[in-house]
Amino acid sequence: MPDMSSSAALAITHLVPLAEVDENKVTPGVLGFIVFAVMALAVWGLMKSMSKQMNKVDFKEASDPRAESVDTAEGKADPQAAAPAERQAKQG
């Protein structure tokens, strides 16, 4: 371990006794709790980041060209061909 910093080596020496297992009693102990807590924080951070990224997505479904051709063949007006003033009147 010559390439490790002294603080990292000191931290490892403090964690090694936490990983020792009693022959008569097996529990996750403090080290197990620390690992679980770190994993839980990582999952929370990933979920928060994913939620933020998903909120940025602006998904508008493309209309089906076959359905548009059926609408125009039946004489229905194409909503995309409406005048801009008519669209604004519908929205507001």
Side-chain angles (χ1 to χ4, degrees), residues 2 9 11 14 22 29 32 35 47 57 59 64-65 72 75 77 79-82 92:
H14 284 295
D22 183 16
V35 170
M47 292 293 288
V57 174
F59 177 77
D64 188 10
T72 55
Q80 298 294 333

Side-chain angles (χ1 to χ4, degrees), residues 4 15 31 34 36 40 50 62-63 65 68 75-76 85 88-89 91:
M4 267 196 204
L15 289 177
L31 183 60
I34 292 170
F36 181 79
M50 182 187 70
S63 59
E68 289 178 6
K76 296 180 182 175
Q88 288 178 354
Q91 292 176 355

Side-chain angles (χ1 to χ4, degrees), residues 70-91:
V70 171
D71 289 344
T72 55
E74 292 176 0
K76 296 180 182 175
D78 186 13
Q80 298 294 333
E86 292 177 10
R87 280 188 260 156
Q88 288 178 354
K90 288 179 183 177
Q91 292 176 355

Side-chain angles (χ1 to χ4, degrees), residues 15-48:
L15 289 177
V16 170
L18 297 175
E20 291 179 6
V21 178
D22 183 16
E23 295 294 328
N24 299 323
K25 181 170 111 177
V26 178
T27 63
V30 176
L31 183 60
F33 174 76
I34 292 170
V35 170
F36 181 79
V38 168
M39 289 175 56
L41 286 172
V43 169
W44 176 78
L46 287 171
M47 292 293 288
K48 188 170 182 170

